[in-house]
Amino acid sequence: QVQLVESGGGLVQAGDSLRLSCVASGLTFRDYSVAWFRQAPGKDRELVAALRRNTNTPNYADAVRERVTISRDNAKNTLYLQMNNLKPEDTAAYYCAADKNIILSSIWTPHYWDYWGQGTQVTVSS
């Protein structure tokens, strides 16, 4: 079955950097669009960044556009999220997601993504 396993979260100070990783198994990774979402306590899950399959053009949320980079290594079945200049408002659980057929207009909605990891916690202290 499909598994997505995130790692790389932790407790950091404002201004620090983190790189999150998500290792996928049980699927042909290169055939899937992939994304990072986050969910803070009491808030809805929101898209951070996405990479649709067969495109080199990422999509980013406005709140993080200048500070994060999404990338993938298909040979390693791994998705990454490099986050720089972290802010306390970035504190959340971060989830990777995968879907084979998602269209651009749907990437912002968690409901349309088929597969999810368990999440990794990022806490940014001020």
Side-chain angles (χ1 to χ4, degrees), residues 38 63-69 82-87 89-90:
R38 67 184 182 185
V64 301
R65 183 180 304 278
E66 302 298 325
R67 300 185 292 115
V68 307
T69 303
Q82 177 68 42
M83 302 190 292
N84 300 321
N85 190 23
L86 283 159
K87 302 178 180 181
E89 51 264 42
D90 294 319

Side-chain angles (χ1 to χ4, degrees), residues 29 32-38 46-62 64-65 68-72 79-82 94-99 102-110 112-113 116:
F29 186 67
Y32 282 71
S33 298
V34 287
W36 288 98
F37 283 79
R38 67 184 182 185
E46 62 178 5
L47 181 73
V48 177
L51 266 178
R52 285 177 299 125
R53 63 172 178 161
N54 300 326
T55 177
N56 290 323
T57 304
N59 296 97
Y60 293 108
D62 288 342
V64 301
R65 183 180 304 278
V68 307
T69 303
I70 187 172
S71 62
R72 64 192 299 169
L79 175 68
Y80 301 101
L81 185 71
Q82 177 68 42
Y94 283 72
Y95 300 89
C96 64
D99 191 279
I102 199 163
I103 60 175
L104 179 57
S105 60
S106 297
I107 64 171
W108 307 97
T109 306
Y112 289 111
W113 291 84
W116 292 88

Side-chain angles (χ1 to χ4, degrees), residues 1-6 22-27 77 96 115-117:
Q1 79 261 25
V2 175
Q3 280 194 313
L4 303 175
V5 180
E6 303 95 336
C22 172
V23 178
S25 60
L27 52 73
N77 285 3
C96 64
Y115 301 108
W116 292 88

